[in-house]
């Protein structure tokens, strides 16, 4: 096992591994975003917009959807990962 560290900008409040897709999702609260990263090199692949003040993420049992809980909006953000 190799130890390494990497830096992400902003206020990261949650992180989630997506093993089947080889991705990592980092929840950036200060910009209301989910950063989508390649798990092999941590390169940013995409940015997903969330509701106001996202707090945590979860993936459904079938690994199809990611749900983001938002603190200052009346919605939960749902993303189709396929």
């Amino acid at each position: 096992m190799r130890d390494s560290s990497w830096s992400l900008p902003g206020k990261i409040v949650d992180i989630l591994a997506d093993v089947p897709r080889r991705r990592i999702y980092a929840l950036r609260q200060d910009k209301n975003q989910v950063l989508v990263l390649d798990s092999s090199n941590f390169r940013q692949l995409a940015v997903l917009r969330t509701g106001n003040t996202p707090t945590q993420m979860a993936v459904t049992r079938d690994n199809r959807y990611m749900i983001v809980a938002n603190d200052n909006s009346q919605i939960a953000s749902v993303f189709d990962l396929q």
Side-chain angles (χ1 to χ4, degrees):
M1 180 181 224
R2 187 181 87 191
D3 288 340
S4 63
S5 63
W6 44 280
S7 177
L8 286 173
K11 184 177 180 181
I12 306 299
V13 294
D14 197 10
I15 194 161
L16 183 65
D18 184 349
V19 176
R21 292 175 190 83
R22 295 182 165 175
R23 293 181 183 163
I24 296 171
Y25 305 108
L27 193 54
R28 185 173 177 179
Q29 190 175 62
D30 61 318
K31 296 267 186 165
N32 301 327
Q33 297 174 336
V34 175
L35 305 177
V36 182
L37 308 167
D38 183 312
S39 66
S40 64
N41 58 18
F42 303 108
R43 191 183 82 226
Q44 185 172 312
L45 302 173
V47 176
L48 307 174
R49 180 87 171 126
T50 68
N52 294 329
T53 319
T55 57
Q56 61 188 50
M57 302 176 283
V59 173
T60 57
R61 282 179 91 144
D62 61 2
N63 287 316
R64 177 157 185 191
Y65 299 99
M66 177 175 48
I67 302 165
V68 178
N70 302 296
D71 195 26
N72 291 318
S73 57
Q74 274 44 46
I75 62 166
S77 305
V78 180
F79 300 98
D80 188 337
L81 298 176
Q82 293 182 349

